[in-house]
């Protein structure tokens, strides 16, 4: 039985009771990309985006802004060919003056938009996140 049986295929949600290792194993079972970014040491938008870019192996020319993140999560990955699906974990997103609630919500909105993009293509794109 799938660990994700109650999780829609295109969603951005809190990690809650899921464990990262279990999600990684489930991605492998499903043959999907597993992308993981541990953001505990980031305190600013630039640092969060750099952490994600490095963890997800974005191209060097990644612009370290929300538009560039959107482009990498959608069009660049789409142009790379058929995709089996994505299971993404953003762990310990910061809660700092330079990465406040508004910045966190904007970041999650970018991932929600990417989930919608992949839903239109019938490709699973699940994102789990936690805050510090």
């Amino acid at each position: 039985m799938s660990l994700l049986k109650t999780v829609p295929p295109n969603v951005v949600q809190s990690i809650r009771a899921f464990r990262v290792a279990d999600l990684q194993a489930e991605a492998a079972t499903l043959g999907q990309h597993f992308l993981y970014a541990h953001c505990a040491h980031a305190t600013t938008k630039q640092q969060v985006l750099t952490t994600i870019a490095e963890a997800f192996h974005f191209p060097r020319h990644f612009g370290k802004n929300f538009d560039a993140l959107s482009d990498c999560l959608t069009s660049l990955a789409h142009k790379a060919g058929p995709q089996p699906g994505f299971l993404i974990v953003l762990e310990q997103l910061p809660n700092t003056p330079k990465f406040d609630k508004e910045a966190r919500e904007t970041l999650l909105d970018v991932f929600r938009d990417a989930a919608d993009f992949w839903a239109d293509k019938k490709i699973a794109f699940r994102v789990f996140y936690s805050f510090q």
Side-chain angles (χ1 to χ4, degrees):
M1 183 156 33
S2 174
L3 174 70
L4 302 174
K5 68 179 188 270
T6 61
V7 179
N10 298 83
V11 67
V12 177
Q13 72 173 45
S14 171
I15 198 165
R16 295 188 192 120
F18 291 105
R19 291 184 25 219
V20 174
D22 294 339
L23 292 170
Q24 185 175 16
E26 186 67 12
T29 299
L30 297 171
Q32 296 181 357
H33 298 293
F34 179 77
L35 303 171
Y36 173 81
H38 189 264
C39 301
H41 299 294
T43 59
T44 67
K45 173 184 160 186
Q46 290 298 98
Q47 290 172 342
V48 169
L49 291 172
T50 297
T51 300
I52 292 170
E54 289 172 358
F56 294 6
H57 303 286
F58 287 166
R60 280 187 175 172
H61 65 271
F62 175 69
K64 295 184 182 83
N65 60 57
F66 292 129
D67 289 336
L69 176 62
S70 176
D71 187 49
C72 286
L73 293 173
T74 57
S75 62
L76 281 181
H78 181 62
K79 290 176 188 174
Q83 299 297 330
F86 301 87
L87 202 156
I88 297 170
V89 175
L90 304 171
E91 195 168 34
Q92 297 294 305
L93 290 171
N95 181 14
T96 65
K98 292 186 179 182
F99 198 78
D100 59 8
K101 181 179 179 183
E102 183 178 333
R104 287 191 308 275
E105 280 305 310
T106 301
L107 176 74
L108 295 176
D109 282 344
V110 170
F111 279 93
R112 287 181 189 106
D113 290 345
D116 291 343
F117 172 88
W118 289 108
D120 289 344
K121 294 169 181 10
K122 308 288 190 250
I123 305 293
F125 188 93
R126 293 178 178 99
V127 180
F128 297 89
Y129 63 86
S130 66
F131 298 134
Q132 289 179 348

